[in-house]
Amino acid sequence: MERKKLLFVLNPFSGKGQIRNKLLDIVDLFVKSGYEVTIYPTQKPQDAMELVEKRAGEYDLVVCSGGDGTLDETVTGMMKRGDKVPIGYIPAGSTNDFANSLNIPKPMEQAAKIAVEGEPFACDIGRFNQGYFVYIAAFGLFTDVSYATSQELKNRIGHIAYILEGVKRLPAVQSFHLKVICEECTIEDEFIYGMVTNSTSAGGFKNITGKNVQLDDGVFEVTLIRMPRNPIELNEIIGSLTNLIDNTDSIYTFKASSLSIKSLEEIPWTLDGEYGGTHSEVEIWNEKQAVQIMVKKSELL
């Protein structure tokens, strides 16, 4: 009987590099599940994306291990292909928002078992101009934190690092004048933060992205935070975000399958925690159920 083929793409430096201690056990598990395994440690940025785009068709399953950046590259590579194969994910980053959304456990051997023995879940993927994102596109306050925070700091204190970096920036809050157009609404205002998400958490905070989040419904959850006009409004915004009580009109929240965002100036964006370039016009739309990701069998998401 011919064995199935598995491509295992891993970022050896993600998290605390703990994949190195588990590698043999994980590969052994893959082989026992009937796979012939090709292991590829990434060597440079975009490596996973290029490899998956070119070679995924030679395999029955692609498994990636790393942080959100590695997952983003793997999914982007798959989205650029005509024929797609399922993706298994072994999270090894410091926050792993998307793995949490999919109920993929943190212990690596458990995640590896789901990657080869679970079932494929057809997940929405975001298109951002000519690129892609898996679960979040964001701008403004805190968004440059994840790529400006050193890997060492992330490893040591996890997502608290993001918060500390963000708080340090509060006195210099920058606002952006935006026109946001979606199917149901047009909003024009001064914003300090915005996120378009397909996830149940962001930055390690559960439920901050919205209610009744489904990862395969073809719509994003959109959150836009208006520039506070006074300290009271700022406190309301902070209270709303930390207590998850919507008692301020400074935060717009809605669902949309596509939206267009225009600004007078170039705004830096982050896609899945990685720098996504600066843009004055952004078109975002939901590619419904575009990629299959392995999850626990009959898991209700």
Side-chain angles (χ1 to χ4, degrees):
M1 189 182 98
E2 195 176 338
R3 295 177 79 83
K4 294 176 287 183
K5 289 186 163 57
L6 184 155
L7 174 61
F8 185 27
V9 183
L10 60 105
N11 177 349
F13 302 105
S14 196
K16 297 185 177 73
Q18 69 257 46
I19 184 74
R20 299 173 195 205
N21 303 328
K22 312 277 188 186
L23 190 56
L24 190 56
D25 291 341
I26 289 170
V27 173
D28 186 54
L29 191 153
F30 290 165
V31 173
K32 282 186 167 68
S33 293
Y35 286 95
E36 180 184 302
V37 183
T38 301
I39 304 170
Y40 186 88
T42 57
Q43 305 294 306
K44 61 185 194 297
Q46 308 305 320
D47 215 5
M49 182 190 79
E50 289 165 12
L51 180 71
V52 170
E53 184 181 359
K54 284 184 193 145
R55 305 279 305 276
E58 301 165 30
Y59 298 89
D60 300 286
L61 177 67
V62 173
V63 178
C64 69
S65 180
D68 291 338
T70 307
L71 176 68
D72 179 279
E73 282 196 29
T74 304
V75 168
T76 297
M78 197 65 76
M79 289 296 291
K80 292 181 166 200
R81 297 181 54 81
D83 59 322
K84 298 179 175 64
V85 300
I87 295 171
Y89 180 39
I90 302 173
S94 38
T95 45
N96 305 316
D97 287 312
F98 194 65
N100 293 335
S101 300
L102 290 169
N103 295 318
I104 295 172
K106 195 147 180 56
M108 287 186 152
E109 293 93 331
Q110 290 179 34
K113 199 169 171 62
I114 290 169
V116 286
E117 296 178 11
E119 60 187 10
F121 168 73
C123 188
D124 298 347
I125 299 298
R127 186 187 272 268
F128 180 95
N129 288 350
Q130 303 310 309
Y132 297 96
F133 63 95
V134 179
Y135 76 94
I136 184 167
F139 70 86
L141 189 66
F142 302 150
T143 52
D144 63 342
V145 165
S146 65
Y147 51 82
T149 306
S150 75
Q151 187 66 51
E152 188 194 351
L153 190 60
K154 282 188 204 176
N155 292 348
R156 270 191 289 129
I157 55 176
H159 63 249
I160 299 167
Y162 298 100
I163 311 309
L164 292 176
E165 282 289 327
V167 169
K168 284 199 309 210
R169 290 152 199 264
L170 269 177
V173 174
Q174 184 179 6
S175 69
F176 305 98
H177 188 89
L178 301 182
K179 186 173 188 180
V180 181
I181 303 165
C182 68
E183 307 97 291
E184 316 243 316
C185 63
T186 298
I187 301 166
E188 191 162 354
D189 214 327
E190 291 282 328
F191 294 103
I192 56 170
Y193 178 80
M195 62 180 174
V196 179
T197 59
N198 190 41
S199 172
T200 57
S201 69
F205 290 104
K206 270 203 159 317
N207 305 319
I208 201 169
T209 53
K211 296 184 176 67
N212 308 318
V213 176
Q214 302 291 324
L215 305 185
D216 61 348
D217 59 0
V219 294
F220 297 117
E221 283 67 42
V222 183
T223 302
L224 300 167
I225 301 180
R226 197 162 52 69
M227 180 72 176
R229 285 178 289 238
N230 53 55
I232 295 169
E233 280 193 356
L234 178 61
N235 286 337
E236 282 177 356
I237 290 168
I238 292 167
S240 180
L241 292 176
T242 50
N243 303 320
L244 308 173
I245 302 162
D246 188 7
N247 61 353
T248 172
D249 58 4
S250 296
I251 302 179
Y252 297 87
T253 54
F254 56 93
K255 293 180 188 265
S257 60
S258 66
L259 63 159
S260 154
I261 300 176
K262 296 181 179 172
S263 56
L264 301 172
E265 61 197 299
E266 299 265 314
I267 295 178
W269 282 78
T270 174
L271 306 177
D272 298 331
E274 303 290 318
Y275 180 57
T278 60
H279 309 271
S280 58
E281 290 196 22
V282 169
E283 298 288 334
I284 299 174
W285 63 99
N286 189 302
E287 300 263 4
K288 188 176 181 182
Q289 299 176 10
V291 165
Q292 293 190 319
I293 296 182
M294 302 300 287
V295 297
K296 280 183 198 166
K297 282 202 168 147
S298 65
E299 184 78 40
L300 291 172
L301 294 165

